[in-house]
Amino acid sequence: MSTAFEKKYKELVEEGDGFEDDPDAYEADNIFFVPPEARWSEIAKAAHTPEIGTILDKAMIAIEADNKSLKGVLPKNYAKPRTGKRVLGNVVDVFTNMDMSDTEASKDLLGRTYEYCIA
């Protein structure tokens, strides 16, 4: 989601019409809008802090607030005490270091990664 958003964001900035912060500009291309506090760069900065779970939960809430079709869909249980913050930070690192620039191929990679994790 973040990679597709960032790609479209850069396109909109280059166009120079000021639509880069307009959720409708993303919806037109079936791309979810990611608010500033939920962008991957912000999450990655907090990967190895004790607050990473809370930051992820708040990011999910913010994404749902700007994308009504996601309302109630995204997980918001990362701040629970039983969630290992070190492991969570390491997972964030894995995705931070993964090249997801080819969003079509990345969907398959992400799906396989998700299936592996739930297994």
Side-chain angles (χ1 to χ4, degrees):
M1 180 185 298
S2 188
T3 302
F5 169 82
E6 288 295 331
K7 183 177 177 182
K8 181 66 177 177
Y9 181 87
K10 288 176 185 172
E11 288 174 14
L12 292 169
V13 168
E14 288 174 11
E15 289 174 8
D17 295 326
F19 293 117
E20 61 270 9
D21 292 319
D22 180 359
D24 292 337
Y26 298 87
E27 187 176 334
D29 288 337
N30 292 317
I31 296 171
F32 292 112
F33 180 77
V34 181
E37 67 274 19
R39 294 184 185 157
W40 194 257
S41 58
E42 295 301 310
I43 292 168
K45 282 193 271 186
H48 296 286
T49 67
E51 298 81 23
I52 185 60
T54 302
I55 289 168
L56 282 168
D57 287 350
K58 287 180 178 179
M60 299 297 174
I61 292 166
I63 291 169
E64 285 184 348
D66 281 333
N67 300 277
K68 301 304 179 201
S69 65
L70 295 176
K71 184 75 174 158
V73 173
L74 300 177
K76 295 169 281 300
N77 59 351
Y78 298 105
K80 290 185 177 182
R82 71 171 199 254
T83 304
K85 303 310 182 246
R86 182 180 311 168
V87 171
L88 195 52
N90 289 339
V91 170
V92 170
D93 283 346
V94 167
F95 284 100
T96 299
N97 296 318
M98 192 179 294
D99 180 10
M100 303 280 282
S101 57
D102 180 2
T103 53
E104 287 305 313
S106 297
K107 288 178 186 175
D108 185 47
L109 175 64
L110 187 59
R112 289 193 322 244
T113 303
Y114 178 73
E115 289 172 359
Y116 173 80
C117 288
I118 61 173

